[in-house]
């Protein structure tokens, strides 16, 4: 019998048994999971802290090795390692058009990070800001850290802002040289000179400050989900900045793009994932020093640690590559 991660109640996680198919369905692939990535946003807030969704089978991203391919599958074969947006379980059984081949030589653990890169890839594909212009990233958690690297690689002048010094230190260690504990609202190099502000925190005061930092007609993109109210700010304060500074304030939800490209929409979720995997293979970021791998048997510890910020590493993965080991 195979295993999967289950959220059985509010702040309760563990392993459950699941049956593995003997063979894949048509146009599907079946294989053993190597690693799966834990989303510190969606999985914590939507599942682990939300008793209304229990019992739940969380999951965000996985890399698995194909064992069998079903009838009609082309471009994949047994032995290939592939990425998919799949749940935390010891095997994966998915449609072939929902998988992306992991480039040769890329560490399968590192490949799971492509999922989190794709969160801000949508903004990179849709923004009106152009390379060379100033971009502020607010929130230096896992999503913000990767967003900063995505825009830096693409030629933008990037500043990352976060009140937590340890996060800024991680950003600097990873290669992001411009960091700040607060939005530089008094710095003339950034005040009203910023083309794009990307909020990865979901905090309303950060969004308000983002509207104050961008140039007239600049963009403020909300990538971080506003899971809860954090301040006593009034909407009028935000509306005033948007109105008088001509701010383009919009959602940065990655699902603005379709799963697959179309005739008039060349950009897509799957295309963004493929690009993220290619960049990782090319040395986009050495994620190993910033990654913690844990046994699926320690699911409770993993979610508790993320919730209480006990881990120094921003990226936390389940290691399924050694079955039965704790």
């Amino acid at each position: 019998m195979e295993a999967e991660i289950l959220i059985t109640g509010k702040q309760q996680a563990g392993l459950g048994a699941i049956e593995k198919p003997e063979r894949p369905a048509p146009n599907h692939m079946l294989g053993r999971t190597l690693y799966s990535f834990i989303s510190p946003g969606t999985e914590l807030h939507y599942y682990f802290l939300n008793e209304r969704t229990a019992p739940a089978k969380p999951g965000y991203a996985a890399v698995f090795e194909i064992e069998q391919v079903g009838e009609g599958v082309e471009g994949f074969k047994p032995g290939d390692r592939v990425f998919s947006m799949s749940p935390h379980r010891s095997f994966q059984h998915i449609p072939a058009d929902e998988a992306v081949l992991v480039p040769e030589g890329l560490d399968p653990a590192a490949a799971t990070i492509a999922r989190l890169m794709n969160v801000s890839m949508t903004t990179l594909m849709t923004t009106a800001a152009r390379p060379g212009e100033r971009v502020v990233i607010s929130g230096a958690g896992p999503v913000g850290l990767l967003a900063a690297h995505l825009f830096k690689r693409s030629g933008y002048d990037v500043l990352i802002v976060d009140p937590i010094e340890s996060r800024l230190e991680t950003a600097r260690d990873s290669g992001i040289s411009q960091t700040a504990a607060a939005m530089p609202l008094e710095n003339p190099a950034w005040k009203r000179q910023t083309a794009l502000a990307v909020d990865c925190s979901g905090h309303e005061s950060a969004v308000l400050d983002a509207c104050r930092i961008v140039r007239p007609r600049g963009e403020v993109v909300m990538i971080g989900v506003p899971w809860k109210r954090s301040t006593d700010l009034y909407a009028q304060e935000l509306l005033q900045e948007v109105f008088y500074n001509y701010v383009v304030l919009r959602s940065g939800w990655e699902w603005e793009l379709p799963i697959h490209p179309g005739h008039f929409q060349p950009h897509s979720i799957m295309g963004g994932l493929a690009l993220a995997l290619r960049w990782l293979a090319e040395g986009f970021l050495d994620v190993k020093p910033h990654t913690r791998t844990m046994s699926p048997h320690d699911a409770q510890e993993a979610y508790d640690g993320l919730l209480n910020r006990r881990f120094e590493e921003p990226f936390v993965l389940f290691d399924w590559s050694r079955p039965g080991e704790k």
Side-chain angles (χ1 to χ4, degrees), residues 24-30 68-74 76 93-99:
N27 299 310
H28 281 59
M29 304 185 298
L30 181 65
Q68 301 179 59
V69 296
E71 181 183 354
V73 172
E74 297 180 355
F76 298 98
H93 181 223
I94 66 163
D97 66 356
E98 294 180 6

Side-chain angles (χ1 to χ4, degrees), residues 181-252:
M183 198 70 77
L185 295 174
E186 304 306 318
N187 187 334
W190 292 89
K191 175 71 179 290
R192 297 290 194 254
Q193 301 299 315
T194 300
L196 170 67
V198 181
D199 178 63
C200 301
S201 70
H203 197 290
E204 55 265 39
S205 65
V207 175
L208 178 58
D209 282 347
C211 290
R212 290 169 171 161
I213 199 77
V214 294
R215 68 190 183 195
R217 198 59 184 174
E219 289 177 277
V220 175
V221 180
M222 298 169 54
I223 286 181
V225 180
W227 294 104
K228 62 180 181 179
R229 181 176 180 177
S230 301
T231 69
D232 291 325
L233 289 172
Y234 287 97
Q236 189 271 342
E237 296 176 69
L238 179 67
L239 297 177
Q240 187 175 45
E241 293 298 328
V242 171
F243 184 86
Y244 285 109
N245 198 33
Y246 310 101
V247 176
V248 178
L249 174 62
R250 64 185 178 90
S251 170

Side-chain angles (χ1 to χ4, degrees), residues 3-16:
E4 64 180 346
I5 303 295
L6 297 174
I7 303 298
T8 55
K10 186 175 182 179
Q11 294 183 236
Q12 296 177 355
L15 272 181

Side-chain angles (χ1 to χ4, degrees), residues 48-296:
F48 193 61
L49 293 174
N50 188 356
E51 59 187 6
R52 292 173 297 177
T53 59
K57 300 179 179 183
Y60 202 70
V63 169
F64 68 98
E65 187 171 297
I66 299 173
E67 295 173 322
Q68 301 179 59
V69 296
E71 181 183 354
V73 172
E74 297 180 355
F76 298 98
K77 64 183 185 303
D80 285 343
R81 291 178 172 180
V82 296
F83 171 94
S84 64
M85 296 182 285
S86 299
H88 301 297
R89 60 177 53 161
S90 57
F91 71 91
Q92 302 297 335
H93 181 223
I94 66 163
D97 66 356
E98 294 180 6
V100 182
L101 193 66
V102 173
E104 188 81 22
L106 178 59
D107 179 2
T112 64
I113 307 300
R115 179 67 180 85
L116 215 57
M117 291 171 64
N118 203 53
V119 173
S120 53
M121 191 74 79
T122 293
T123 300
L124 182 61
M125 291 177 174
T126 59
T127 183
R130 292 294 175 258
E133 295 186 315
R134 288 183 171 87
V135 174
V136 172
I137 310 293
S138 56
V143 172
L145 178 63
L146 291 171
H149 279 279
L150 280 172
F151 280 92
K152 179 185 175 184
R153 180 186 175 95
S154 302
Y156 293 85
D157 185 8
V158 177
L159 169 73
I160 192 166
V161 177
D162 197 292
I164 302 175
E165 176 56 31
S166 61
R167 287 184 168 184
L168 297 181
E169 184 177 350
T170 296
R172 289 190 292 267
D173 288 345
S174 72
I176 302 298
S177 60
Q178 298 187 99
T179 65
M183 198 70 77
L185 295 174
E186 304 306 318
N187 187 334
W190 292 89
K191 175 71 179 290
R192 297 290 194 254
Q193 301 299 315
T194 300
L196 170 67
V198 181
D199 178 63
C200 301
S201 70
H203 197 290
E204 55 265 39
S205 65
V207 175
L208 178 58
D209 282 347
C211 290
R212 290 169 171 161
I213 199 77
V214 294
R215 68 190 183 195
R217 198 59 184 174
E219 289 177 277
V220 175
V221 180
M222 298 169 54
I223 286 181
V225 180
W227 294 104
K228 62 180 181 179
R229 181 176 180 177
S230 301
T231 69
D232 291 325
L233 289 172
Y234 287 97
Q236 189 271 342
E237 296 176 69
L238 179 67
L239 297 177
Q240 187 175 45
E241 293 298 328
V242 171
F243 184 86
Y244 285 109
N245 198 33
Y246 310 101
V247 176
V248 178
L249 174 62
R250 64 185 178 90
S251 170
W253 203 29
E254 63 190 299
W255 298 103
E256 175 184 349
L257 296 179
I259 293 288
H260 300 286
H263 185 67
F264 293 107
Q265 177 51 280
H267 301 301
S268 67
I269 296 295
M270 300 307 292
L273 291 169
L275 179 59
L277 287 166
R278 193 183 84 199
W279 282 2
L280 283 167
E282 293 172 353
F284 165 79
L285 174 65
D286 181 8
V287 299
K288 192 171 184 178
H290 309 294
T291 300
R292 175 181 291 256
T293 56
M294 303 184 70
S295 167

